[in-house]
Amino acid sequence: MDKDFGADLKNKAVRIDKVLPQILAQHADIHPRMLEAMRYTLEAPGKRLRAAMVMMCQEAVSGRQADSVSEIAAAAIEMVHTYSLIHDDLPAMDDDDFRRGRPSCHKQFDEPTAILAGDALLTFAFEVIASKIQDGTLAAKLISILASAAGPAGMIAGQMADLEAQNKQGSKEHLEYIHLNKTAKMFEAACLMGGACGGADSDTMTLLSRFGLKVGLAFQVADDILDVEQSSDVLGKTAGKDQQQGKLTYPALMGIDKAKQLLTDLTNQAVELLAPMGKRGKILVSLAQMLNNRVR
């Protein structure tokens, strides 16, 4: 990873780590146990990748450092992502006892509390955008982008298709449908939210949309590979769960070598999309390359 990019990514994660508890602290009316569960999951160590992408895209589009508006948008998408992890780990879903190197929310607290904590973070994300972003037109656009990506024709659709595909013979087309919806659309949303915060024109928004989908799909291919090749200690969650649960994955469908080649191809395609942005797209090129080479 480029040293400057690595430092910038870490800096953005630190900024989000500060913003999230500040937002929670401003809402004294949240039930104490619910607040504890929300804080526990939000403050677990993570890459803050989707949140950082919001800020990076705002910077690439506007040419200025990420501001408080993009920080709020970044915090909101991190809340939605964290909700999805809480629910993914539940016994009725992927049934995982660990997340980000710590006990999953339902193991640290209990299953009903985990369900409600996920519900709380999902709805709270939209409240945060609506109440803390003063530009009503921008707030509405951000809410629309995030709701569409996380909703029944986005992440939920992918999760439903993922459940249906367990222990069944699948196709590459079906697998791509699962991961475009379950994972890539949230990456697309991060890019579009950042673009909206930066005042991107329609052509740039289209470019960011396509880039987000490519890197999001690449991220999931890498995730499938890491589940096979890495240990639980490195991943911060239980390794090998995909095979145990009969999940439809890229290594299972096409073999590990072809999956790695697909990862490289998707990364190269994502980078090529950024050519019209010139130097402004450098940070996003580094992002795509980092995702291609990640080890956890």
Side-chain angles (χ1 to χ4, degrees):
M1 189 193 308
D2 179 85
K3 186 180 294 185
D4 290 341
F5 174 79
D8 185 53
L9 181 62
K10 185 176 181 179
N11 178 59
K12 285 178 170 54
V14 168
R15 288 175 66 177
I16 295 303
D17 285 341
K18 290 180 179 178
V19 170
L20 289 168
Q22 288 172 359
I23 292 173
L24 288 176
Q26 293 166 6
H27 291 264
D29 53 343
I30 298 176
H31 186 281
R33 182 168 173 80
M34 184 51 50
L35 181 61
E36 184 184 1
M38 293 167 71
R39 182 179 288 120
Y40 174 81
T41 52
L42 280 177
E43 293 183 356
K47 296 181 287 293
R48 310 300 186 202
L49 186 55
R50 293 154 190 80
M53 286 177 70
V54 174
M55 300 164 74
M56 288 177 182
C57 288
Q58 184 242 288
E59 292 177 352
V61 167
S62 67
R64 65 177 187 271
Q65 288 294 307
D67 55 23
S68 59
V69 173
S70 64
E71 281 185 351
I72 293 299
I77 200 169
E78 187 65 27
M79 290 176 188
V80 172
H81 175 58
T82 302
Y83 125 76
S84 74
L85 300 182
I86 293 173
H87 282 195
D88 271 352
D89 291 337
L90 290 169
M93 298 289 284
D94 285 350
D95 193 13
D96 206 314
D97 292 348
F98 294 94
R99 174 67 66 174
R100 292 174 168 171
R102 311 200 304 181
S104 302
C105 189
H106 70 278
K107 299 301 291 186
Q108 181 70 16
F109 297 90
D110 52 61
E111 193 172 342
T113 300
I115 292 170
L116 292 176
D119 293 343
L121 286 170
L122 174 61
T123 50
F124 190 49
F126 298 107
E127 178 186 347
V128 166
I129 294 174
S131 63
K132 297 190 181 300
I133 294 181
Q134 299 304 309
D135 183 336
T137 300
L138 175 59
K141 188 168 189 175
L142 293 172
I143 287 171
S144 177
I145 291 169
L146 186 54
S148 177
M155 183 167 59
I156 300 299
Q159 290 172 325
M160 189 71 252
D162 190 27
L163 289 172
E164 290 180 329
Q166 281 187 215
N167 297 309
K168 294 180 181 178
Q169 185 72 31
S171 65
K172 186 178 178 181
E173 291 74 23
H174 190 189
L175 184 56
E176 187 169 290
Y177 173 88
I178 292 171
H179 291 320
L180 277 173
N181 285 282
K182 184 179 179 182
T183 303
K185 284 188 177 179
M186 285 291 285
F187 279 78
E188 179 191 26
C191 292
L192 290 175
M193 291 171 78
C197 289
D201 59 29
S202 60
D203 288 343
T204 303
M205 289 292 275
T206 298
L207 183 157
L208 291 174
S209 170
R210 294 174 65 196
F211 172 78
L213 290 173
K214 287 290 184 184
V215 295
L217 193 55
F219 178 90
Q220 185 59 58
V221 176
D223 219 47
D224 287 355
I225 294 168
L226 291 172
D227 186 72
V228 174
E229 294 190 336
Q230 289 288 17
S231 67
S232 298
D233 288 341
V234 172
L235 294 178
K237 59 182 180 180
T238 306
K241 286 292 291 290
D242 291 341
Q243 184 176 3
Q244 293 172 20
Q245 296 179 335
K247 292 273 189 179
L248 181 60
T249 68
Y250 285 97
L253 185 67
M254 60 198 318
I256 198 76
D257 290 337
K258 288 186 177 179
K260 289 180 177 180
Q261 184 59 53
L262 176 61
L263 172 58
T264 299
D265 292 344
L266 288 167
T267 301
N268 290 339
Q269 291 164 17
V271 169
E272 289 169 5
L273 285 169
L274 297 171
M277 296 188 74
K279 291 182 179 179
R280 293 181 303 139
K282 181 181 177 182
I283 191 172
L284 301 182
V285 170
S286 296
L287 172 68
Q289 292 170 342
M290 181 275 290
L291 293 177
N292 181 69
N293 297 316
R294 71 191 181 97
V295 295
R296 55 177 300 171

